[in-house]
Amino acid sequence: MATTAGTLFSAKLKEVTQADHSEAESSEFITTLMGGSRSSRDYVLLLAQYTYIYAALESEVRALSERHELAALFDLRLERAAHIHADLAILLPTHGFADIPAPLEATVDYVRHIRDAAEDPARIVAHHYLRYLGDLSGGQIIGRLVERHYGITPEALSMWRFDGIDKYKPYKDEYRRKLDAYAVTPERASALLEEAAKGFTLNKALFRDLLTQSQLSTLMSA
């Protein structure tokens, strides 16, 4: 799907994915977690699944970042994997985990899809946009709510801090300008839009699996 004259691709992308975005945000697991009615253990379970997703995304991004047209967009300051592992090093022992929980079925599917998407750089750009622009936006709210509701200390919330990026809004605006410059062909624009929609589907599946895992854990500990 190409953008019409005078319409920025980033604006079109936000418009086209708005319904999927809202549906993912409305998933029971994430709404109850952010509402304070779950537990810090559920947050740890979420973060654990992110280790696999971000590791896959960041390895593919690093491989593609050598391409001139993607170097400006793929800012390595955005990488989250090391921060997630640092947070889990604090959180896992205090929540009864000896190691990072195994990937859920939805996570395995998500990782597989990221690996396959790397065959078309525009599709990896879509996942890059969804994850990191999300972390710089709604992710900031997640960090504050998790600290407030579950008493997780700032030392274990480095996932949501981006060292070296002082002002998030100007950074996000510049990111969108780079995205607009990249999505200059109908082929790239179409691939980006299609893959972004798929990304939200993958996230919804992850939240469903996390809800099931949380419920099973509750039953087993009862």
Side-chain angles (χ1 to χ4, degrees):
M1 181 185 299
T3 57
T4 59
T7 302
L8 294 175
F9 173 77
S10 55
K12 183 67 173 179
L13 177 60
K14 183 177 181 179
E15 175 191 342
V16 169
T17 59
Q18 186 60 52
D20 288 325
H21 190 179
S22 297
E23 188 175 340
E25 286 185 330
S26 300
S27 298
E28 181 179 349
F29 177 83
I30 200 68
T31 56
T32 52
L33 183 66
M34 294 302 98
S37 59
R38 304 205 73 79
S39 68
S40 58
R41 191 176 192 276
D42 286 323
Y43 174 71
V44 176
L45 292 173
L46 170 65
L47 204 61
Q49 297 308 305
Y50 280 168
T51 62
Y52 304 104
I53 293 166
Y54 281 87
L57 177 60
E58 289 169 10
S59 67
E60 298 299 345
V61 163
R62 280 183 173 261
L64 290 170
S65 63
E66 298 175 0
R67 302 190 183 196
H68 175 71
E69 71 272 19
L70 292 174
L73 193 65
F74 288 166
D75 183 353
L76 298 184
R77 290 178 298 173
L78 295 172
E79 289 189 341
R80 298 290 89 196
H83 296 281
I84 294 170
H85 280 280
D87 290 348
L88 286 174
I90 299 171
L91 294 170
L92 288 174
T94 59
H95 288 82
F97 294 103
D99 205 348
I100 297 173
L104 299 170
E105 183 178 348
T107 303
V108 172
D109 186 43
Y110 202 147
V111 168
R112 184 187 304 115
H113 193 85
I114 286 173
R115 299 294 189 192
D116 291 343
E119 297 298 321
D120 180 352
R123 295 184 180 274
I124 284 294
V125 170
H127 289 286
H128 192 271
Y129 164 82
L130 290 180
R131 292 255 56 103
Y132 298 119
L133 263 285
D135 293 338
L136 285 165
S137 300
Q140 301 308 300
I141 299 172
I142 291 174
R144 289 194 294 270
L145 290 176
V146 165
E147 182 178 8
R148 181 193 306 169
H149 292 316
Y150 308 113
I152 294 178
T153 62
E155 292 77 13
L157 292 170
S158 67
M159 163 67 180
W160 312 110
R161 295 194 297 273
F162 289 81
D163 298 331
I165 300 176
D166 297 327
K167 296 182 179 180
Y168 291 178
K169 186 182 185 306
Y171 185 91
K172 290 187 291 181
D173 290 343
E174 180 61 21
Y175 183 102
R176 292 186 183 98
R177 284 191 285 271
K178 292 174 182 177
L179 186 65
D180 292 331
Y182 178 75
V184 292
T185 66
E187 292 78 16
R188 286 180 180 177
S190 179
L192 268 158
L193 291 168
E194 181 180 328
E195 196 65 24
K198 179 62 178 178
F200 284 117
T201 299
L202 292 165
N203 274 284
K204 286 184 285 186
L206 173 60
F207 295 149
R208 286 195 298 270
D209 275 12
L210 281 163
L211 180 63
T212 299
Q213 182 185 41
S214 175
Q215 291 169 336
L216 288 174
S217 296
T218 300
L219 287 173
M220 291 175 64
S221 61

